[in-house]
Amino acid sequence: MLIALWIVNALLTLAMLGGGGMKLITPKPVLAERGMAWTEDFSAGSIKAIAALEVVGAIGLILPLATGIAPILTPLAGAGLAVIMLGAVVVHLRRKETATPAIVLAVLAVASAVLGFLAIR
């Protein structure tokens, strides 16, 4: 169970750090130019907040599990990322955009949360 958790968390962390980090350092107009049309519906501050939550969630998937300090934070980070990604699915579906990447990440986040709760008990 623990090995599966590490694999899922590693994949999810890479995706969240990559996407969240990019959104965190890239200005809103550049994100829109790069095909993130959903940014039109959000303020620059909201986009940065979402990005920061993604980065913090990604760190929360790995750090508590690796250090053994407050390991309950690992499945909680997975649950938090699942909520963020489910919100992304809703936004993309409302805009009639493809939601496949967000759905895949939401499923991974749910799997991380479930595996995390099972592995730490």
Side-chain angles (χ1 to χ4, degrees):
M1 194 80 59
L2 192 57
I3 293 170
L5 177 62
W6 273 107
I7 292 169
V8 168
N9 282 3
L11 292 171
L12 190 55
T13 295
L14 287 174
M16 289 292 135
L17 278 179
M22 183 264 308
K23 285 185 283 228
L24 202 54
I25 63 173
T26 307
K28 179 181 173 178
V30 177
L31 291 173
E33 288 173 11
R34 292 184 181 169
M36 294 187 179
W38 63 268
T39 58
E40 299 166 1
D41 296 346
F42 294 89
S43 68
S46 294
I47 294 167
K48 298 304 179 199
I50 292 166
L53 288 172
E54 289 176 358
V55 170
V56 169
I59 293 168
L61 291 174
I62 299 296
L63 195 59
L65 195 58
T67 63
I69 300 171
I72 188 66
L73 295 177
T74 294
L76 293 177
L81 288 173
V83 170
I84 292 170
M85 296 317 300
L86 289 173
V89 169
V90 170
V91 167
H92 289 299
L93 291 177
R94 283 186 182 166
R95 293 181 52 85
K96 309 273 192 270
E97 299 171 344
T98 181
T100 305
I103 292 170
V104 169
L105 291 173
V107 168
L108 275 176
V110 169
S112 170
V114 170
L115 285 170
F117 282 121
L118 291 174
I120 64 166
R121 53 174 203 128

